[in-house]
Amino acid sequence: MRDDSRRRLTRRDARKQETHKQVIEAARRVFLDDGYERATIKTIADAAGVSAGTVLNVAPTKSALLIVILGEEYESIRDSVDRLEAALSGNLMDRLSALVQVIMEAQLRHEELFAAAIAHTWLWTGDSYTEAAGQMSQAWGAVERLLAKGVEKGDLRRDLVPVEAARLIEDCYTGVVRRARGEEMDRSSASALMRSRLELVIQGLAAH
């Protein structure tokens, strides 16, 4: 007698994965179209064509849905930054600026998602904060490596800890993004502000 349990399990898993994908894509659309604050589990369920209970099986809260979506977004940003890192030339400031610019442009394409994440990391606690903050740091590995090279070449202070300096730049970046959104800056102005802040940071970290 043929055992079809493995086939049934595979089909069930495939349906579960497809439902998960439907819910995540629906949540992404709703967050971008309606805004994170106005989005509800019901509107996400309606957009996905499933029940509210099914949405909550994918992620237990609206913030958890956002974190899942951002994980995919930050992974894509990290890959783009890593590819750029290999092709960069010029001085340290120009290379750092290019990496940060790629991160900013990618985030501004889906501004509503990232703005919600930046705003809510000030409110989330526990596991939600840890996961969200960890995702936000994914794209900054290339910056950390570039800072380490700057120390090796003598461009930056010998006592500099690259991971801490990268977090400093990331914190500065987060502040610029929050300010740019609050003041409704265009992309060019936001990029120029980030460049000026980055120059101040690097001046303070430079070897003397």
Side-chain angles (χ1 to χ4, degrees):
M1 181 175 178
R2 187 175 61 183
D3 182 3
D4 287 333
S5 61
R6 183 178 299 274
R7 178 176 298 177
R8 288 197 299 272
L9 179 63
T10 300
R11 288 173 179 170
R12 185 163 60 247
D13 287 346
R15 286 196 300 272
K16 186 176 180 180
Q17 290 173 1
E18 183 59 30
T19 299
H20 183 280
K21 181 179 178 181
Q22 280 180 244
V23 170
I24 294 302
E25 287 306 312
R28 188 194 306 271
R29 291 196 307 272
V30 171
F31 289 158
L32 289 172
D33 293 344
D34 298 346
Y36 177 80
E37 295 297 339
R38 291 186 297 277
T40 66
I41 295 298
K42 183 179 185 307
T43 57
I44 292 169
D46 290 345
V50 300
S51 69
T54 298
V55 173
L56 294 174
N57 284 334
V58 172
T61 63
K62 187 170 75 168
S63 62
L65 279 170
L66 178 62
I67 289 171
V68 172
I69 293 167
L70 287 175
E72 298 174 356
E73 295 289 339
Y74 277 112
E75 184 175 350
S76 177
I77 293 173
R78 182 197 62 203
D79 291 344
S80 296
V81 172
D82 288 351
R83 286 194 298 271
L84 176 62
E85 179 190 11
L88 285 176
S89 60
N91 62 40
L92 177 63
M93 183 63 221
D94 287 343
R95 285 179 288 162
L96 276 173
S97 184
L99 291 177
V100 174
Q101 182 66 27
V102 167
I103 296 172
M104 178 172 282
E105 288 178 354
Q107 292 194 350
L108 289 177
R109 282 197 292 271
H110 290 163
E111 183 179 0
E112 182 64 39
L113 294 177
F114 293 103
I118 289 171
H120 283 77
T121 51
W122 292 74
L123 303 175
W124 288 333
T125 58
D127 292 342
S128 292
Y129 171 78
T130 300
E131 187 168 357
Q135 288 177 352
M136 288 183 181
S137 295
Q138 279 192 51
W140 295 86
V143 171
E144 183 182 329
R145 291 189 293 272
L146 191 54
L147 291 168
K149 291 178 182 177
V151 174
E152 291 174 6
K153 293 182 178 180
D155 295 330
L156 300 175
R157 289 166 22 195
R158 288 291 179 186
D159 63 345
L160 180 70
V161 180
V163 64
E164 293 301 325
R167 296 295 82 78
L168 171 62
I169 293 172
E170 183 182 354
D171 288 344
C172 181
Y173 170 85
T174 300
V176 168
V177 172
R178 286 173 61 86
R179 179 177 173 183
R181 182 172 174 82
E183 298 180 8
E184 298 183 349
M185 292 182 186
D186 59 29
R187 295 188 181 187
S188 177
S189 298
S191 295
L193 178 61
M194 186 63 225
R195 170 84 187 200
S196 68
R197 295 291 187 269
L198 188 56
E199 287 175 346
L200 288 173
V201 171
I202 295 303
Q203 286 172 14
L205 300 178
H208 297 291

